[in-house]
Every structure is written in C-alpha cells, then in structure tokens.
Amino acid sequence: MTRQELFEQIKIKQSFLCVGLDTDLNKIPSHLQKVADPIFEFNKQIIDQTADFAVAYKPNIAFYEALGPKGWESLQKTLDYIPKNIFSIADAKRGDIGNTSGLYAKAFFETMDFDSITVAPYMGIDSVSPFLSYENKWVILLALTSNEGSLDFQFSELKNGKPVYQEVLEKSSKWGNPDNMMYVVGATRGEKIGEVRKIVPEHFFLVPGVGAQGGSLEEVAKYGMNSRCGLLVNSSRGIIYAGKGTDFGTEARKEAKKLQGEMEVLLNQYCY
Amino acid sequence: MTRQELFEQIKIKQSFLCVGLDTDLNKIPSHLQKVADPIFEFNKQIIDQTADFAVAYKPNIAFYEALGPKGWESLQKTLDYIPKNIFSIADAKRGDIGNTSGLYAKAFFETMDFDSITVAPYMGIDSVSPFLSYENKWVILLALTSNEGSLDFQFSELKNGKPVYQEVLEKSSKWGNPDNMMYVVGATRGEKIGEVRKIVPEHFFLVPGVGAQGGSLEEVAKYGMNSRCGLLVNSSRGIIYAGKGTDFGTEARKEAKKLQGEMEVLLNQYCY
C-alpha cells in the first residue's frame, strides 16, 4: 500500500485506528474454543466488526509464534482475511545482518504478503535496508518505545547531546523516506512525540500504548499529527477483549467506533 | 543446559565450535531436493557428521521462517534431532515489551525446547527478563555485532565517554548472571573482544563471523577466552556448504574436524 492510499483510507474512514490482533488462546471466549481454528475464527469476527473503523490491523507475531506451525497457519489465514484496502502490520520486531534480514523480509513480504513489518534498529543499516528494497512495502522502525525498559538505552545521552533514540531517527531517516518508513513512537509521553515530530516531520508514526497502556489520544494527536495525519494509533486489548462472551464482536465494534469518533474530531481539529 | 555442563562438553570434545544451521533450500545438494523434507534431511546429515566436534548448533531462524509453517516443522524436527548434550541456540534476535517477550520465550523454550535464544537489547530490561525466568535456559544478548551496520549505533559515544555497546553490557549484566546470559560479540575486531572481556569477565560469548565473515580464530581465543573457555565460535557456511554434492556431509565433517583441531590447540594455550 502507498502512503497516498493510506491517507485516502484515513480520509474516507475519518480514522487512524490500528487494531492490534494480540490474540491469546487463553483470553478468547469459551464458545470459540471448540472450532477448528479458534484464533482465526476470533480474528475473523473482530475484523468483520471493526473493518469500518480501522485503517490498519497489526497481528503481534509472538502470539502466533508461541503456538508453533499451527499458529503460523492461523496468522496466514488472518492476513488473507484482512481487506486489501486496510494496511497490514506484522509486529515482529525483526532485525539481523543483511542476508538474514533479507530472509525475514522474504518471510513477511513474499511468503506472507504483509504491507509492513516492525524492525529493531540496534544492528544498523544493513539490518533495515533489505526490507526497504520491496516496492510499496514498509519498515516500521523502533525509535521511542513506551515500555519500562525504554529508559535503559533509548534515552542515554550521547556525547553530541542527543539521546540515542534521536540518533536512531536522524540516521535511519536517510536510509529510506516517508514513503517506505514509519517509526514506532510510544504514547506515554505526549511532549516527546512532539520532539520526534520535529525531527521527522513527514513520516507516519505507529503509536502503541493508547488505552490499556495508558497514553492519551488527545495528546498524541496534538503533538504528533502532521498535515497528512501521520499517525496510526493502535489499540489491542481495549478493543479485542472488550467483550468476554458471545458478544465479543459487537463489544469490539462499539469500542472501535468510539475511538473512530474521537479520531474524527481530532483529525478535523489538527490535520485538515 | 547449565554452564558447568557446557564447559564439560568443551573439555570432553576439546572444542568450542558452534555449527550454524543457515540452511537454504537453494544451496543444498540437488539429490536432497526430492525427499519429503530436504531442510531437515540436510540438517540431519550435517548433525550426524559434525556432532563429534561441535558443542553447539545454531539454527538461524530466518531461514526457516521464510518457508512458512513447513519451515517451522523442519526446525522442530532439527531441534529434536540435536543430541541433548549439545547446546542449542535459536538465532532469532527477538525482543519486545514484557508480555510479548514472554510469548517469544514460550515459543522458543516451551513450544520448542531450545537451550538459548539470541535477543536484541534496544527495548531494555523488560524485553529481556522474561527469557531469564526459565531455569537452565539462556539469553544471548546482542552486544557488539560484526556487520557493517554495527557502526551506526553500537559505537556511538555516550556523554559518559562509553560507547553504546559498553552501556548495554554494563546494564544488562546486572539483569542476569553468567549462568543464564551470554553475549553476541563479533569477531572482526580482535582487540574489541578483549575490551568486552574486561567488562564481563565470566560470561560466555557467542562469536559469529569466523570463517566466511572473516574473523581470526587465533585472535578471538587470545583476546576473548577466560579460564572456563567462555567462547562459542560459530561457523555456518564454511562447514555446511563445504561440499556441494553427495559428499556434503563428509566435507562438512572435515571442516568441523579441522576447526576442532585448531580449537584444541588454542584451549591448551589460553585456557587450561
């Protein structure tokens, strides 16, 4: 999917919602446990109910990988079921030396046909560039995460006065461009998103941590939006586990619709 | 596997060789292409021929992941075939927020039963600690890699005068201990390994980059060895693709034996 196409979807749906498919066999309703592929059946119903309000779906690969080969089959079926006009994100946080990253790119862009994959920056340019060689595919690079451990290295101050995450943004933004790279930017610190926006004004940000992880959507939009929205804000548990019984689909729909409504207001306030 | 058991295997075999199973369908001999599972059949014969000389096997997970669910089945069969007294390494370079890292740990330590997994440090403590909660399992954390991109962030100088990789070593060594953590330390810069050894004197290092990637085994041993060896040195392509035809197994055996012979000399020179 191109940046233009993504922006058009955002305009059509008045939404920059990404639904995180962190689908856990222990958390899906009991009536689904009896079907042949409970993970896929759950995802299918979540997608049916939320596709009107979501511009992206983000399966968290660990949840599928933990189930062995069967999990990968559920993932493939889920990906095939995501409508083609909705952006798909493999939240895999891969990254290795060049030829190995090339194989991860093959896994997620050829064997599977994801639009994008999250990538870790520690190993530098050759761990990222193989993903950038695919047309209309995207790298979503970890820049500033919102977990506890983000304080360990991402904020370490360099001799040049910059924190490590800033060095990651400045260097990596030259490896690709706003048409094939996005950044993971955590939502727990609103003003930090503003600082990142100044460094990379054009790139899309994938923002985890709104909802269950505690960030404020209003702050994210205020500090992070650019003239083409430039945001995909993820919610996983808050949507997919909104209902615990046979109503899980309609409850997920309500939550997604609610977030879309808030996003519509923010788009009109900060973007158009 | 415990550190004591690993060290005993090193003493018994007089070797610190890790064989990298970077098994590529396009590179394995044509006579194997017809069997039901060429990847597993190739690995099986490589293991049969090299188990006398290797103390560790390291499947590079990208090679299996690129093949979809079938690849994961080949990986599982390969892992099951590795003798229990040989250390197994999932070279996966995973790392995510706490609960997601917990699922990656489940994937590699429960769904599969690897002894260890390589992990990326960028997201900090909660991305690493879930792997450390398993008894007799190991995290092998990326510290200093030997690829081109290692220069992008790992060597950036911090305000305190230390390079980023040193901060990674110093902080992360407090999250675990030498009985459940190792470090990936690249071999292309011999004297750098000596610097890392001073920071973490007791930890094992997994050293890629000897052979095809160009490091010198002599330098690695001279600068990196401690009194309990403290090294696992990997060779992938140099061993598994030593022969291109029906002789690939015996050619791999010759290469592994040759490396073991060199390692025996170095163990007696620098360790005992």
Side-chain angles (χ1 to χ4, degrees):
Chain A
M1 183 179 286
T2 67
R3 187 156 64 126
Q4 180 60 28
E5 286 165 347
L6 179 57
F7 187 58
E8 279 164 16
Q9 287 301 312
I10 291 170
K11 277 206 287 194
I12 290 165
K13 291 183 176 167
Q14 291 284 298
S15 166
F16 44 99
L17 176 62
C18 173
V19 174
L21 299 172
D22 299 16
T23 309
D24 184 340
L25 212 47
N26 297 318
K27 285 191 186 159
I28 69 182
S30 54
H31 73 283
L32 287 182
Q33 303 283 357
K34 299 155 213 154
V35 304
D37 186 343
I39 299 283
F40 171 63
E41 187 58 35
F42 180 86
N43 289 346
K44 181 173 171 292
Q45 294 193 37
I46 291 287
I47 293 166
D48 285 342
Q49 293 287 351
T50 59
D52 293 344
F53 311 114
V55 296
Y57 286 106
K58 180 175 75 64
N60 183 333
I61 304 305
F63 285 73
Y64 303 84
E65 196 164 303
L67 303 173
K70 264 187 64 173
W72 289 92
E73 280 164 19
S74 304
L75 177 64
Q76 179 66 59
K77 283 195 273 180
T78 299
L79 177 61
D80 292 342
Y81 196 75
I82 295 173
K84 286 289 160 258
N85 58 3
I86 299 188
F87 192 70
S88 58
I89 302 169
D91 195 1
K93 301 190 173 70
R94 300 297 193 256
D96 206 305
I97 60 169
N99 73 325
T100 301
S101 268
L103 283 162
Y104 283 125
K106 188 180 172 198
F108 289 98
F109 291 163
E110 292 184 48
T111 305
M112 292 178 281
D113 189 23
F114 276 97
D115 288 312
S116 66
I117 179 174
T118 55
V119 175
Y122 192 70
M123 294 182 73
I125 184 168
D126 60 303
S127 64
V128 175
S129 51
F131 297 98
L132 296 171
S133 67
Y134 286 79
E135 207 176 347
N136 297 337
K137 301 284 187 185
W138 297 74
V139 163
I140 309 180
L141 195 70
L142 299 183
L144 187 60
T145 62
S146 52
N147 62 317
E148 176 200 351
S150 67
L151 299 170
D152 287 318
F153 308 120
Q154 296 168 29
F155 286 91
S156 297
E157 192 179 343
L158 294 170
K159 202 179 174 184
N160 59 20
K162 298 170 188 171
V164 166
Y165 78 82
Q166 186 172 343
E167 184 96 337
V168 167
L169 287 162
E170 289 179 354
K171 277 200 177 166
S172 65
S173 61
K174 297 187 186 100
W175 303 339
N177 58 60
D179 291 318
N180 64 8
M181 278 188 92
M182 303 187 181
Y183 290 101
V184 174
V185 183
T188 48
R189 302 169 192 86
E191 80 288 2
K192 280 284 165 215
I193 296 186
E195 289 175 27
V196 176
R197 181 49 82 203
K198 279 181 204 141
I199 303 166
V200 280
E202 301 296 330
H203 289 73
F204 263 88
F205 299 165
L206 172 62
V207 183
V210 162
Q213 288 176 53
S216 146
L217 183 60
E218 162 78 34
E219 284 218 334
V220 168
K222 182 177 167 188
Y223 292 106
M225 224 174 241
N226 64 21
S227 64
R228 304 189 79 192
C229 179
L231 293 176
L232 295 174
V233 170
N234 184 72
S235 175
S236 301
R237 286 166 281 176
I239 290 178
I240 69 174
Y241 302 128
K244 306 219 177 301
T246 52
D247 64 343
F248 78 95
T250 51
E251 289 301 309
R253 183 176 180 84
K254 272 187 216 164
E255 284 303 313
K257 190 177 180 183
K258 190 176 146 225
L259 275 170
Q260 180 275 323
E262 293 169 25
M263 288 174 173
E264 185 163 354
V265 173
L266 295 167
L267 274 168
N268 286 290
Q269 189 172 353
Y270 295 112
C271 175
Y272 303 127
Chain B
M1 184 180 285
T2 66
R3 187 156 63 125
Q4 180 60 27
E5 286 165 346
L6 178 58
F7 187 57
E8 278 164 17
Q9 287 300 313
I10 291 170
K11 277 206 287 194
I12 290 166
K13 291 184 175 166
Q14 291 285 298
S15 166
F16 45 98
L17 176 63
C18 173
V19 175
L21 299 172
D22 299 17
T23 309
D24 184 339
L25 213 46
N26 298 317
K27 285 192 186 156
I28 69 182
S30 54
H31 73 282
L32 288 182
Q33 304 282 357
K34 299 154 213 158
V35 304
D37 186 342
I39 299 283
F40 171 61
E41 187 57 35
F42 180 85
N43 288 347
K44 181 173 171 292
Q45 293 193 37
I46 291 286
I47 292 167
D48 285 342
Q49 293 287 350
T50 59
D52 293 344
F53 311 114
V55 296
Y57 286 106
K58 180 175 75 62
N60 183 333
I61 304 305
F63 285 73
Y64 303 84
E65 196 164 303
L67 303 172
K70 264 188 63 172
W72 288 93
E73 281 164 18
S74 304
L75 177 64
Q76 179 66 60
K77 283 195 273 179
T78 299
L79 177 61
D80 292 343
Y81 196 76
I82 295 173
K84 286 289 160 258
N85 59 2
I86 299 187
F87 192 70
S88 57
I89 302 169
D91 195 1
K93 301 190 173 69
R94 299 297 192 258
D96 206 304
I97 60 169
N99 72 326
T100 301
S101 268
L103 284 162
Y104 282 126
K106 189 180 172 198
F108 288 98
F109 291 162
E110 292 185 47
T111 306
M112 292 177 280
D113 189 23
F114 276 98
D115 289 312
S116 66
I117 180 175
T118 55
V119 175
Y122 191 70
M123 294 182 73
I125 184 167
D126 60 302
S127 65
V128 176
S129 52
F131 296 98
L132 295 172
S133 68
Y134 286 79
E135 207 175 347
N136 297 336
K137 301 284 188 186
W138 297 74
V139 163
I140 308 180
L141 196 70
L142 298 183
L144 187 59
T145 62
S146 52
N147 61 316
E148 176 199 350
S150 67
L151 299 170
D152 287 317
F153 308 120
Q154 297 169 28
F155 286 91
S156 297
E157 192 179 344
L158 295 170
K159 203 179 174 184
N160 60 19
K162 298 169 188 172
V164 166
Y165 77 83
Q166 186 172 343
E167 185 96 337
V168 168
L169 287 163
E170 289 179 353
K171 277 200 177 166
S172 65
S173 61
K174 297 186 186 101
W175 304 339
N177 58 60
D179 291 319
N180 63 9
M181 278 188 92
M182 304 186 180
Y183 290 101
V184 173
V185 183
T188 48
R189 302 170 192 87
E191 79 288 0
K192 280 285 166 214
I193 296 187
E195 289 176 26
V196 176
R197 182 48 82 202
K198 279 182 204 141
I199 303 166
V200 280
E202 300 297 329
H203 289 72
F204 263 88
F205 298 166
L206 171 62
V207 183
V210 162
Q213 287 177 54
S216 146
L217 183 60
E218 163 79 34
E219 283 219 335
V220 168
K222 182 177 167 188
Y223 292 106
M225 223 174 243
N226 64 21
S227 64
R228 304 189 78 191
C229 180
L231 294 176
L232 295 173
V233 170
N234 184 73
S235 175
S236 301
R237 286 165 281 176
I239 290 177
I240 69 175
Y241 302 128
K244 307 221 177 298
T246 52
D247 64 343
F248 78 95
T250 51
E251 289 301 310
R253 182 176 181 83
K254 271 188 217 164
E255 284 303 314
K257 189 177 180 183
K258 190 176 145 225
L259 274 169
Q260 180 275 321
E262 293 169 25
M263 287 175 174
E264 185 164 353
V265 172
L266 294 166
L267 274 168
N268 286 290
Q269 189 172 354
Y270 295 111
C271 175
Y272 303 127

